[in-house]
Amino acid sequence: MSFSLQRSDLRDIYEKVVASERIGDDDALRLFESKDLNAVGAIADFVRQRKVGDRASYIINRYINYSNYCILSCQFCAFARKKRDADGFQLTVEEIAQKAREALHLGITELHIVGGLHPNLPFDYYTGMLRALKAVDGRLQLKCFTAIEALHLAWLARKTVKETLLELRAAGLDSLTGGGAEIFRKEVRSQIARGKESAEEYLDVHRTWHQLGGRSTCTMLYGHVESLADRVDHLRQLRALQDETHGFTGFVPLAYQPDNNKIPVTTLPTGFDSLRTIAVSRIYLDNFDHITAYWVGLGLKLAQVALSYGADDLHGTIVEEHIFHMAGASSPQAQTEGAMVKAIREAGRVPVQRNTFYETVKVLDEHQKAEDASGVAPLPAVLEKNLATA
């Protein structure tokens, strides 16, 4: 036991964790309220080590947003636009397929695709998009649509959620994304995302997908108007669904970004808060195998530190991210594989390239390196042009 934990008022929680006992909501709140970040981090790092050993993962993927037109007006969202807005966009299926073809040069294994709730795109646009992307390369794993998008598509198709998910899977959907969870407590949800799906609806979409044999990730948006108790309540509901279905592959805490939205937040997520949130999530979510430090919201340097506070994954190369950057994220639009490998190695971990389901694609031992391990290798010219105009 570390010096900090020997004298810490969290020692009883540490002993529970070492004994593989599940911590309760009161324990989680104590961890959130503790100012001893190193003690909380040491407990989380113990759990991480027991779960995955010294491995830390990343994925070579590309984000594509098919449109930012949306019928909702969530207060926290800087991404959505109405049809009257000059900076709205909508991609054709061929434009999306072309982005996928370009990204194959980077060795991607996954396309991560989400968008707004478009007011008039037909259901066959979405199934046609999935089929077109599978035609580009059938090995590409398609991680698409948030829970609220699935509900919207069910409404468009005039089908149940189950029937809709079955059609999407038949067209090529491999995994649902975890976006849109925000904070589950109704009172908070009404302040930041009035009109969006309820917590129960979010969870039921994922439950249905899991019951069909599908896998997905899940998220929590933290650092706005929620309380620490609200975070614990959110994690509790995710842990309960995981107990029921075992369908979540990983959890991705998302730091709130403050620009261009209508939430009056005066204290933004700090590095302390982000590391604490990742650490408590790792300790509390004992039935989750993986916790991601999302470098887009944290920056790669803090995400690297998070590998010692319970995280075991840095997410992906992404190539072109709009949602967080339109809300003020100052991180790069893309990350090279080499930069992530370097960050993982500096943290004392073994880099592992994973796929959508956190399955190993390759392990890079100390004698191997990614082709762009310097972190400065140029992108293909067509991608450089696209990013310059994004």
Side-chain angles (χ1 to χ4, degrees), residues 51-72:
K51 285 275 188 183
V52 301
D54 287 330
R55 293 186 171 197
S57 58
Y58 65 92
I59 187 169
I60 304 179
N61 66 349
R62 194 211 201 284
Y63 273 25
I64 299 177
N65 299 123
Y66 55 86
S67 176
N68 65 344
Y69 292 126
C70 188
I71 60 175
L72 297 180

Side-chain angles (χ1 to χ4, degrees), residues 21 28 52 100 116 139 148 169 200 216 245 264 271 290 313 316 322 389:
E21 296 177 16
V52 301
R139 296 169 297 178
I148 187 63
R169 186 173 69 179
E200 293 75 15
S216 60
T245 67
H290 304 288
D313 179 71
H322 289 292
T389 58

Side-chain angles (χ1 to χ4, degrees), residues 88-99:
F89 68 87
Q90 173 185 320
L91 302 180
T92 66
V93 169
E94 174 51 35
E95 287 172 328
I96 294 169
Q98 181 58 28
K99 285 178 179 285

